[in-house]
Amino acid sequence: MRSKSIMKKNSPPTLSQVARAAGVGTTTVSRVINGGDCVNPKTLAKVRRVIESMGYLPNQAARVLKGDRTKTIGLIIPSIADPFFSSCAEAAHAVARTHDSLLIVTATQNDLKNEIENVNMLARHRVDGLMIAAGNSRSKSLSQLLMRLSMPVVAIDRPISNSNIPAVITDNFVAAKLAVQHLIEHGRTRIACLTGEEELFTIRERIRGYRAAIKSAGLPPLLDTSVSEFDSAMRSIQRLFASDCPPDAIFTLKNSTTIYTFEVLQELGIAVPESIALVGFDDFELASTLRPSITVLQQPVQDIGRTATELLFERLLGSAERPLNTVRQLKSLDTHLILRRSCGCRVAD
Amino acid sequence: MRSKSIMKKNSPPTLSQVARAAGVGTTTVSRVINGGDCVNPKTLAKVRRVIESMGYLPNQAARVLKGDRTKTIGLIIPSIADPFFSSCAEAAHAVARTHDSLLIVTATQNDLKNEIENVNMLARHRVDGLMIAAGNSRSKSLSQLLMRLSMPVVAIDRPISNSNIPAVITDNFVAAKLAVQHLIEHGRTRIACLTGEEELFTIRERIRGYRAAIKSAGLPPLLDTSVSEFDSAMRSIQRLFASDCPPDAIFTLKNSTTIYTFEVLQELGIAVPESIALVGFDDFELASTLRPSITVLQQPVQDIGRTATELLFERLLGSAERPLNTVRQLKSLDTHLILRRSCGCRVAD
DNA sequence: ATGAAAGCGCTAACAC
DNA sequence: GTGTTAGCGCTTTCAT
């Protein structure tokens, strides 16, 4: 039971074991694994050989305890499987990599309890920095928790209210207004807006943009915030068409709603864009492949992830000079209206 | 500069600071944060109050050094943005969560250098376990590295050759055979197979399945492994149609190829399924929304991620009793043929 | 029920 | 160039 044989899956070798095996002091090994400066070339070579043969890898936990950074950053998002957030994560990973850091990802399903739990967990692990897309942007308990943390935090996609936490977001308000105005230019006058999850910051902003455009054009608002699954989309659209003056355009505020709406219109045999024009918020892979192809507002997804992560490291590395979180930063990135067929434009696919 | 005022972003409080503030020993605080057993209720309450007020969170690194697990697992995948792998990651995260563990995700782009680098990085961080979908399943250096690790490893989607590392995969061979046989049942006799990345284990298996089905039916193989982007799909299909006997069916071996093929056929005005039947490997969100809807082989993506992670924790927790990696485990999950219109079936959409 | 002290693996003075 | 040693924040005997 206490065999000293080379059995696998035992605890990995330590620095001092390497030192002993190489017949040198721990300092020397430490120097070797940290670049090998001020070490005799012969010693260097020998120690390296021993390290290689023993398969030694420095224990990051021990380094952390000595005061080093953990070389990890945390990313808290509603879902990893969501294309929007997985793209953010991919971009975040790429930036983290350039800083020799790992990315820890957690998913919350927009649940406040999960959000708080995940923040605490990542804080215990002493991640060097944190990025979060909070479903509950206005939660007092979350913002307080975040502001108490001793590490830089950057909000992503959705700002944290009542905080000085910097945020990298898209300008949802302007984008939504733009989309509706485009439909108006196509001569549409009864533009419905379909969505769910109106508790989310992004959705609220988009609704605000819709209302602003509708109002300044003197048109009637037709807002339905009850759409989540396919069935609710079906009900909503049937309801709209049953009314005395049915819509001639639909603006959907999120990816899944756009798709459900498209499917419903397809199933009901309603011609797009002839009878109903359609514009959706958020681009998706097959938007240009569907017939008709779908006009969408394309968010700079990769940019959001990249920018947020760069900002995080900037604060992380510059913390010595500049006091953190003193001036609120809010980077707003532009959204691009991709014109396809569903809005009524006569573009090539 | 040395103000003792409550400035944020300083180093977080330590256990002994809490102990001092609460007027107790470190042992007591340790007991409190570990469940509070054998602690006087009054002391317990007081310490808890101090912890709360100071915002104390135990330093995981210190615990690790004392021999605890890191409560992290690593997931190494080609890309985080890829829907297949992000779904795996989501499932892995969910399982990790039930074990109070965090998920560290890294992306490799199927590059061997990145794979090795990421494994080393995660090993330095002493993750409790590791899951990897290796692009280079047959790399000697990777398999050796993985087998030297002192932590459990599970291969995901693609086994690691020449190793005893357990793997959770789908039966690509059987699935591909099934798909081709289905096309044959539809009376198709010139079935082309389009793909790229034939260096991947999964693709090779699918090709093997295609060949097996074609051969046992006495049909001629029409394999093109040069398809990657839209343009190459276009070239490939035009080439096929220019030949003396053009295909009457296409079997695509990966998601993106299926989509490009669909787009090419759409652009060339080739009727699906009338002129060409189409079956693709891997389901995707809009496969049923496209016209015609696309028949696909659906992999149990979530299951793969979940099963692999469960297996990992099983080995992680049972390591005391059972010796690790002694018997090779290979869990093969079933793939499901989803019949839609593009193969020639007359199903409802 | 509670505390003192050793030690986990590493780094950084400080000697030599 | 190289080794000795203290200590990072925690858990855990072992006393009390």
Side-chain angles (χ1 to χ4, degrees), chain B residues 14-15 27 30 56 59 63 66:
Chain B
T14 70
L15 181 142
T27 314
S30 178
Y56 169 75
N59 185 332
R63 287 178 155 175
K66 281 303 292 184

Side-chain angles (χ1 to χ4, degrees), chain B residues 58-71:
Chain B
N59 185 332
Q60 182 66 18
R63 287 178 155 175
V64 170
L65 214 52
K66 281 303 292 184
D68 258 43
R69 290 185 309 163
T70 57
K71 302 277 195 175

Side-chain angles (χ1 to χ4, degrees), chain A residues 171-179 181 205 208-209 281 297 334-335:
Chain A
D171 197 331
N172 291 282
F173 173 75
V174 167
K177 224 169 69 177
L178 205 75
Q181 280 165 352
E205 284 294 291
R208 215 162 58 77
F281 211 110
L297 291 160
D334 284 341
T335 294

